[in-house]
Amino acid sequence: MSGHSRVEVYPGCEAIVEFDESLTFECVSECTWCCQHGVLLYGEDLRELAARESLDGPLKQLKGHDFIRRESKDRDEFVDVDDQACYFLNDEGLCSLHAEHDWKPTRCSVFPLEIHVEDGEIHVSIREKAHQHCDGLDVSERKVVDHLDAFLPKLLWELDDPTSRIEL
Ligand code: SF4
Ligand code: SF4
């Protein structure tokens, strides 16, 4: 654990930072890698989504969890190797939830970070595959460690299991 720093993200909510603190991030609009996955929805996300959109189309249940499902897309450049991407990724490669409601689920904010819990504390690192696929790493002056609240919604500290290991 030496070399890892403890950052107070919100009053009383700390995270242990396990990535290089010189790392910068700025999302690159032509890149849609993180939106090619299915997104886990926490209970609060589900309620927030239901207040904005019909839940008839977008959901998929797996192993007792709710996810936003993936679907085939017309635009080849926005899809994963299986030609699919998030239900809410629109034809312009943008999140329709963000565009129309200025809101997105908790787990979408966490990308490209990864969370695990040790001794009850939230530890944050960079997803292994993000170094290959997330075009937003180290392309700006915006240091990740100085903006952790943008990646880690406060809800994460209220969850029984805030880890990023539950995936579709
Ligand atoms: S909900 Fe929006 S931000 Fe999240 S994966 Fe889907 S398109 Fe991307
Ligand atoms: S993978 Fe990174 S750069 Fe690409 S859309 Fe997601 S957050 Fe932005």
Side-chain angles (χ1 to χ4, degrees):
M1 214 155 109
S2 63
H4 298 164
S5 62
R6 179 181 295 275
V7 175
E8 186 172 61
V9 185
Y10 304 98
C13 300
E14 296 181 335
I16 311 295
V17 171
E18 297 192 355
F19 54 83
D20 181 342
E21 293 190 21
S22 66
L23 188 83
T24 68
F25 172 83
E26 195 71 61
C27 187
V28 174
S29 57
E30 301 79 38
C31 168
T32 57
W33 177 65
C34 63
C35 299
Q36 295 169 12
H37 303 77
V39 179
L40 175 67
L41 295 168
Y42 300 117
E44 183 62 23
D45 289 320
L46 199 56
R47 284 187 286 280
E48 295 276 347
L49 180 60
R52 292 165 171 86
E53 293 278 336
S54 163
L55 298 185
D56 284 346
L59 296 191
K60 175 174 177 135
Q61 272 85 30
L62 187 72
K63 295 180 184 167
H65 298 287
D66 292 299
F67 293 85
I68 297 177
R69 69 178 175 84
R70 304 165 74 244
E71 64 173 18
S72 295
K73 300 287 181 187
D74 294 335
R75 299 280 298 264
D76 290 347
E77 68 268 43
F78 300 150
V79 296
D80 204 349
V81 285
D82 63 357
D83 287 341
Q84 299 212 336
C86 175
Y87 177 92
F88 287 112
L89 188 68
N90 68 20
D91 286 349
E92 283 80 50
L94 300 171
C95 173
S96 59
L97 289 177
H98 195 242
E100 289 167 30
H101 307 296
D102 196 22
W103 176 84
K104 58 186 175 182
T106 304
R107 285 285 284 270
C108 304
S109 301
V110 175
F111 259 89
L113 304 187
E114 185 168 82
I115 296 172
H116 71 277
V117 175
E118 266 178 59
D119 298 328
E121 296 203 281
I122 286 181
H123 289 238
V124 280
S125 51
I126 306 295
R127 281 174 173 257
E128 200 184 331
K129 287 189 178 169
H131 288 293
Q132 263 175 287
H133 299 289
C134 173
D135 293 344
L137 294 174
D138 277 335
V139 292
S140 71
E141 301 293 312
R142 187 170 172 256
K143 282 171 123 184
V144 176
V145 73
D146 294 336
H147 299 276
L148 279 177
D149 57 334
F151 300 90
L152 305 174
K154 197 162 187 287
L155 170 73
L156 292 165
W157 279 266
E158 295 158 21
L159 298 170
D160 291 338
D161 183 4
T163 60
S164 344
R165 68 187 166 80
I166 309 162
E167 292 188 293
L168 192 60

